[in-house]
Amino acid sequence: QVQLVESGGGSEQAGRSLRLTCAASGYVVGRNCMGWFRQAPEKEREGVAVIYLGGVSTHYHDSVKGRFFISQDSAKNTISLQMWNLKPDDTGMYYCVAGHVRGQQCNTSPFGDPLNAWTYWGQGTQVTVSS
């Protein structure tokens, strides 16, 4: 049984940093794509960052490029999202995802449709950024 457990969310002021971690069980990180999605109130869920094959390539939403960094720790079987220079628009529930339906071809459409591209989702961790 695959479980993804996020941690590290919280409340921060704009300009500060947070680090999210996703611990995977029943799933080996580095297989295909893993990533982070987020959903703000009354907004659609959107892809934030994806890591392919442990770092062969990474992909970011335009709004977080240069501020967020996704990484993997194979020894701990985790992925992380380091977030710098947080903005109020970063507020939302952040979800760890794994099991892209395209398998090793996931790099061709790294975010995919959040409704059907990912098999496994964590429960989410809340990030709140105040101005």
Side-chain angles (χ1 to χ4, degrees):
Q1 183 178 358
V2 175
Q3 278 194 314
L4 304 174
V5 179
E6 303 96 336
S7 61
S11 297
E12 271 296 355
Q13 290 185 323
R16 303 292 290 271
S17 302
L18 279 173
R19 183 179 179 88
L20 308 183
T21 298
C22 171
S25 58
Y27 189 92
V28 177
V29 300
R31 286 174 53 189
N32 313 324
C33 293
M34 288 187 71
W36 295 90
F37 274 68
R38 68 185 178 191
Q39 187 165 22
E42 300 182 357
K43 290 188 177 181
E44 292 186 353
R45 198 167 288 191
E46 64 181 7
V48 176
V50 168
I51 185 166
Y52 174 62
L53 293 180
V56 169
S57 64
T58 55
H59 307 269
Y60 297 93
H61 190 278
D62 284 346
S63 69
V64 307
K65 286 180 180 177
R67 300 190 298 118
F68 289 13
F69 179 74
I70 187 170
S71 61
Q72 171 186 308
D73 186 331
S74 298
K76 296 181 179 179
N77 211 41
T78 61
I79 65 168
S80 294
L81 185 68
Q82 177 67 52
M83 306 185 291
W84 292 288
N85 190 21
L86 286 163
K87 300 179 179 182
D89 283 348
D90 295 322
T91 294
M93 186 70 77
Y94 282 69
Y95 299 92
C96 177
V97 295
H100 197 294
V101 295
R102 290 197 174 194
Q104 291 210 351
Q105 302 302 314
C106 61
N107 199 42
T108 60
S109 180
F111 290 114
D113 181 343
L115 294 179
N116 56 35
W118 299 89
T119 305
Y120 306 110
W121 290 76
Q123 291 298 306
T125 186
Q126 178 67 36
V127 171
T128 303
V129 183
S130 58
S131 57

